[in-house]
Amino acid sequence: DMDDSSVESASMDGVDEAAPMSANDAGGDALASTFRDPKVARVLTYIPQAMPFSRRVNLFNSLLESDKLRTQDETASFRQMMMNLDEGEEAEMLGRERVTIRRDELYSDSKQSLNRLGKRLRKRVQVTFVNKHGQEEAGIDGGGVFKEFLDDLIKDAFLPQTFREEEGGGEDEDILSRSHPDFFSVTPLQTLKVNTTSDGDDAILSNYEFLGRVLGKAIYESILVEPQFCLPFLNKLLGKQNSLDDLKNLDSEYYKNLKSLRHMSAQEIDDLGLTFELHDSATATIELLPGGSDIPVTKQNVIQYIHLVSHQKMNVRGSRQTSAFLHGFRDIIPAQWVRLFSAYELQKLISGDDAVKGIDVQGMMSSMRYSGGLHPSQPIVQWLWKAVEEMTPDQQRKFLKFMTSCSRQPLLGFSSMVPAPCIQQTRLREDDHGNDVAEGLGTGNIRLPTSSTCMNLLKLPKYTSAEMLKEKLLYAIESASGFELS
């Protein structure tokens, strides 16, 4: 193993003009420019473990932010919008892609609106939701609506219907539609792989290309999402070929049985009556060699048979769908960027650290800011954190989604959130028009908690008891009312 200083000296060797990395990793831009040096790029691409994972995540994020300066710079558009306002014209932020999505046609509307963008999907996307009654929802997309949209889209498109039912549905199951086949299936390890029942169907490939762009966009915007992929599929995203030992991460029982052939006697192998072909319920019988159905598996050729079966199951089957997915994914995330990570680390980049059930409440507390007269020492704040600690892991994730539009906590912890999470105190009561009612009058309706997800801001009414706070908070996060709850 190499420590940070040895990594730097080794990777910088022979580079005259490269600036040294800062000890506290604050120099994101310096890291990005360093990565563009071909010698450093080779070190990080082929032996990424030479640098600690957290540091590579910071490097990856600096590459994203550097690219966003080019793809999402709205300075000129903002100036034009202000000029239009001064002249009494309609104000509209140019340079953004605007889409209108019907919640009950989530997948089809999203594919029709976004897939045509290709690499332009790196730009900011502004979403307007239309509810099941055909009315536009009230939320203004400052980033939070898009985060919810992407989270819902990925759950709908990636998670098979049977998997969603086994997991007990989801908070948005009544909203999401299933206007498409299952593009992924569940492995015995409860991870996702390409659904190979669609092998040979050219019409479905555009869906995989779209889903590659969608996952790439989630990573590009640092939005952590639910799907857990099998390691062989992640290897493909990294541009790697799978080998026999990777089969255990697809189907451990099949891997064990296949490898056991190596230790059988010649007679035991002959008794199995195997030939060089693979029988699969999803597709027709596949010959592993030309004329394989007439070539018996023997003690002499069993090793070849084992590797051909493994190659067929992991690198050949579903390869057209995977290739289409990869094409879309690389429209958003360049191949050399993700090669900073191993397959396991790439999964963390996609969905965060799954070892944490629910959320890290203590980590969230230590990073939280307060406004509107709130202070951590006040009873209402202590009631809130007690309520959050007593939530189930599923409720904690709903609480996080309610506040930030993302149900998974940041990969590098809540201290890395931008903007920092904040709780703002609001008046307890409002009249029928949503206007504040002065304290002490005892009239009006008791407010529910609300949020500004683009600011990671929870708006907490001034509740008078821990029981009232918990009741109202749970009602709000369980309602799944989109951007219409007040």
Side-chain angles (χ1 to χ4, degrees):
D1 292 340
M2 304 170 69
D3 60 21
D4 284 356
S5 59
S6 60
V7 171
E8 291 170 14
S9 60
S11 61
M12 295 295 182
D13 185 37
V15 184
D16 294 333
E17 298 300 322
M21 296 181 191
S22 59
N24 63 3
D25 240 0
D29 291 338
L31 282 172
S33 60
T34 299
F35 184 62
R36 294 191 186 100
D37 181 277
K39 293 184 179 179
V40 178
R42 280 196 296 273
V43 170
L44 292 175
T45 300
Y46 294 108
I47 49 170
Q49 64 275 16
M51 183 181 285
F53 174 64
S54 61
R55 190 162 187 175
R56 280 177 281 132
V57 173
N58 285 336
L59 169 56
F60 181 78
N61 288 339
S62 72
L63 292 167
L64 293 179
E65 292 307 314
S66 178
D67 194 68
K68 288 176 186 177
L69 291 176
R70 178 179 59 84
T71 62
Q72 298 185 0
D73 182 12
E74 296 181 335
T75 306
S77 297
F78 182 77
R79 231 181 353 250
Q80 184 62 48
M81 183 185 74
M82 298 306 294
M83 290 172 60
N84 291 346
L85 277 174
D86 289 341
E87 296 171 5
E89 298 178 13
E90 183 178 348
E92 181 179 4
M93 180 70 82
L94 303 175
R96 296 188 179 188
E97 298 293 339
R98 287 174 171 75
V99 295
T100 299
I101 304 294
R102 294 170 292 175
R103 285 194 181 269
D104 56 0
E105 295 291 343
L106 178 64
Y107 181 79
S108 57
D109 282 2
S110 301
K111 183 172 184 286
Q112 183 177 359
S113 301
L114 298 178
N115 204 33
R116 59 181 174 79
L117 298 178
K119 292 184 178 181
R120 287 189 293 127
L121 192 53
R122 294 184 186 186
K123 296 170 66 176
R124 293 188 192 274
V125 177
Q126 194 163 328
V127 175
T128 299
F129 274 124
V130 175
N131 65 22
K132 60 185 178 182
H133 304 296
Q135 298 174 325
E136 288 190 1
E137 295 184 9
I140 299 173
D141 190 2
V145 182
F146 178 75
K147 284 193 290 183
E148 185 198 323
F149 157 71
L150 203 62
D151 190 43
D152 287 347
L153 174 61
I154 287 176
K155 285 177 183 174
D156 180 67
F158 283 81
L159 302 183
Q161 183 68 26
T162 53
F163 182 80
R164 294 166 66 87
E165 290 169 355
E166 289 169 4
E167 292 291 306
E171 64 264 29
D172 305 313
E173 190 66 30
D174 58 329
I175 300 174
L176 301 183
S177 64
R178 297 294 294 187
S179 57
H180 56 80
D182 287 341
F183 299 119
F184 287 82
S185 58
V186 181
T187 72
L189 299 178
Q190 296 300 297
T191 54
L192 298 180
K193 65 173 184 175
V194 166
N195 187 353
T196 53
T197 59
S198 61
D199 276 0
D201 184 359
D202 291 339
I204 207 166
L205 294 181
S206 65
N207 293 281
Y208 284 98
E209 190 170 327
F210 171 57
L211 294 183
R213 292 191 182 106
V214 168
L215 185 65
K217 180 64 171 176
I219 295 175
Y220 192 78
E221 300 294 348
S222 301
I223 299 172
L224 299 179
V225 292
E226 295 288 338
Q228 301 280 320
F229 297 101
C230 67
L231 185 138
F233 180 76
L234 294 168
N235 279 339
K236 289 296 185 180
L237 292 187
L238 296 174
K240 296 179 179 178
Q241 191 85 335
N242 289 296
S243 63
L244 172 62
D245 282 341
D246 294 316
L247 182 58
K248 64 187 174 189
N249 296 294
L250 181 67
D251 187 334
S252 56
E253 191 67 23
Y254 191 96
Y255 168 77
K256 184 175 74 172
N257 293 335
L258 186 64
K259 280 197 72 176
S260 70
L261 294 174
R262 299 165 62 177
H263 307 293
M264 290 184 176
S265 67
Q267 185 60 52
E268 288 173 326
I269 293 175
D270 290 343
D271 290 345
L272 291 175
L274 297 173
T275 57
F276 274 75
E277 58 184 352
L278 189 61
H279 301 280
D280 198 306
S281 58
T283 58
T285 299
I286 301 167
E287 291 190 332
L288 302 174
L289 290 172
S293 58
D294 298 321
I295 303 174
V297 178
T298 66
K299 185 68 174 177
Q300 287 70 38
N301 62 21
V302 71
I303 299 298
Q304 182 187 21
Y305 172 79
I306 290 171
H307 284 278
L308 286 174
V309 169
S310 171
H311 175 68
Q312 179 69 36
K313 289 186 74 71
M314 292 191 298
N315 296 317
V316 178
R317 287 196 58 210
S319 60
R320 295 172 72 243
Q321 296 97 307
T322 303
S323 179
F325 189 98
L326 195 55
H327 183 269
F329 183 78
R330 288 181 176 170
D331 273 351
I332 313 300
I333 305 292
Q336 63 270 27
W337 292 6
V338 291
R339 286 177 187 151
L340 283 168
F341 308 100
S342 68
Y344 291 108
E345 291 170 340
L346 179 58
Q347 181 62 62
K348 280 189 175 184
L349 206 66
I350 292 169
S351 60
D353 189 352
D354 220 47
V356 178
K357 301 302 180 185
I359 62 174
D360 175 13
V361 178
Q362 292 300 318
M364 192 178 196
M365 285 175 61
S366 64
S367 302
M368 189 63 66
R369 297 180 181 177
Y370 301 90
S371 67
L374 281 182
H375 187 272
S377 63
Q378 293 175 326
I380 188 172
V381 175
Q382 296 169 15
W383 298 339
L384 171 68
W385 291 120
K386 186 173 186 295
V388 174
E389 285 179 331
E390 291 174 351
M391 290 177 181
T392 65
D394 183 55
Q395 287 174 329
Q396 288 181 350
R397 287 192 171 184
K398 288 179 180 179
F399 169 69
L400 183 60
K401 181 171 182 177
F402 180 80
M403 183 173 175
T404 69
S405 278
C406 185
S407 59
R408 305 184 77 87
Q409 68 180 44
L411 180 58
L412 298 180
F414 288 103
S415 61
S416 67
M417 288 188 77
V418 179
C422 181
I423 301 173
Q424 180 184 47
Q425 185 170 253
T426 62
R427 290 282 180 88
L428 177 62
R429 296 178 181 273
E430 64 182 7
D431 61 24
D432 292 336
H433 302 289
N435 300 313
D436 287 347
V437 172
E439 303 293 340
L441 293 182
T443 59
N445 308 307
I446 295 178
R447 279 190 166 118
L448 289 170
T450 55
S451 62
S452 294
T453 53
C454 59
M455 300 299 294
N456 299 324
L457 177 68
L458 175 68
K459 299 176 182 178
L460 186 68
K462 196 174 181 179
Y463 295 118
T464 54
S465 70
E467 294 73 24
M468 180 188 292
L469 184 150
K470 185 173 183 178
E471 176 193 349
K472 298 297 184 181
L473 181 62
L474 288 176
Y475 184 87
I477 67 172
E478 296 280 5
S479 292
S481 298
F483 288 83
E484 300 181 303
L485 183 68
S486 64

